[in-house]
Amino acid sequence: PLEYDSLMRQMAERLAAVLRNRDRIAWLDNGRFAIILHPTPRPDLESMIQLSGRLQKAVEAPFSVAAQTITATVHVGFALMHRAPEMTGASLLASAELAAEEAKRFGPSAIRAYSIEIQKAAKARSELVSEIAPALDRGEIQAQFQPQINTDTGDVSGVQALPRWIHADRGTLNETDILPAVEAAGLQNRFAEVILFDCFAAIQKWRK
């Protein structure tokens, strides 16, 4: 849509205003930008965090698009060359994208730097994608229930269904691990069936 293109162009202009002339911006898919910084003497973690914050501040100010005001939130992932697995552009970009995915998991406006721990966590999540279908079939993914309390009377007024995966090797996993694996595997409908079945079974049991 034209409105989306206009918004992205405005974002790119604001990002460019924060950067130096020799830095480069690439517009990727799914509302993402890649920024390639011209080499600087001794770039460190603190300076990259400060730059990430300035970029966020520039883009999170309101935009005017088609006579509407739009406010965006931005998560940032970055990678320092000496921390990337290989000294190549492809490795650096892949590392920054892993850091950005980790930032996204922690909510709006999060900033994360690439590290070997993030790479290991991403590998573990990737492995969960291949395990999710058998886990649903074996009943390893279940709904657990968190009561909601009426603060005036102290009575239980409702419950929230929370998915839990009883994993043989990793212990109990919660929705932050389960939902991305479900989405990546394209099993949203099957997952919904499992959770709804547990909810209906619980209601029937409580009524008895």
Side-chain angles (χ1 to χ4, degrees):
L2 295 177
E3 292 83 0
Y4 175 76
D5 291 345
S6 174
L7 175 62
M8 297 300 288
R9 282 195 298 271
Q10 290 185 56
M11 285 186 176
E13 290 170 358
R14 290 190 186 181
L15 292 172
V18 176
L19 300 170
R20 300 163 301 179
N21 291 335
R22 291 190 290 181
D23 297 331
R24 294 291 179 262
I25 303 173
W27 180 358
L28 307 180
D29 60 349
N30 298 325
R32 301 180 304 151
F33 291 96
I35 295 173
I36 305 95
L37 299 178
H38 187 79
T40 57
R42 297 183 180 179
D44 58 18
L45 196 62
E46 181 61 29
S47 64
M48 289 297 294
I49 292 173
Q50 291 177 1
L51 174 59
S52 298
R54 292 197 300 272
L55 293 168
Q56 279 184 328
K57 184 178 180 180
V59 177
E60 291 185 345
F63 292 90
S64 178
V65 179
Q68 297 183 14
T69 300
I70 297 176
T71 303
T73 58
V74 179
H75 59 270
V76 178
F78 65 86
L80 295 169
M81 178 64 83
H82 68 272
R83 289 192 173 189
E86 299 177 12
M87 297 288 283
T88 65
S91 177
L92 187 62
L93 178 59
S95 300
E97 289 186 312
L98 282 179
E101 284 298 317
E102 185 73 6
K104 183 179 179 181
R105 285 166 49 81
F106 282 84
S109 302
I111 299 172
R112 289 294 181 274
Y114 171 81
S115 66
I116 190 63
E117 288 75 19
I118 285 179
Q119 185 178 35
K120 290 178 180 178
K123 183 176 182 293
R125 289 194 297 271
S126 177
E127 291 171 351
L128 291 180
V129 175
S130 63
E131 299 175 13
I132 192 77
L136 287 167
D137 293 338
R138 290 194 297 262
E140 295 175 4
I141 297 177
Q142 307 166 359
Q144 295 186 1
F145 301 97
Q146 178 173 290
Q148 297 172 326
I149 308 299
N150 186 315
T151 56
D152 293 329
T153 65
D155 294 333
V156 176
S157 59
V159 294
Q160 180 182 12
L162 302 171
R164 293 293 181 265
W165 184 346
I166 313 303
H167 196 284
D169 299 322
R170 305 181 189 184
T172 302
L173 304 178
N174 62 25
E175 58 270 20
T176 60
D177 296 302
I178 298 170
L179 298 182
V182 168
E183 184 177 356
L187 293 173
Q188 293 93 328
N189 290 339
R190 175 65 178 135
F191 171 73
E193 289 174 356
V194 168
I195 298 302
L196 284 173
F197 180 85
D198 282 358
C199 290
F200 294 146
I203 290 173
Q204 188 177 39
K205 181 179 179 180
W206 295 333
R207 284 176 176 171
K208 289 182 180 179

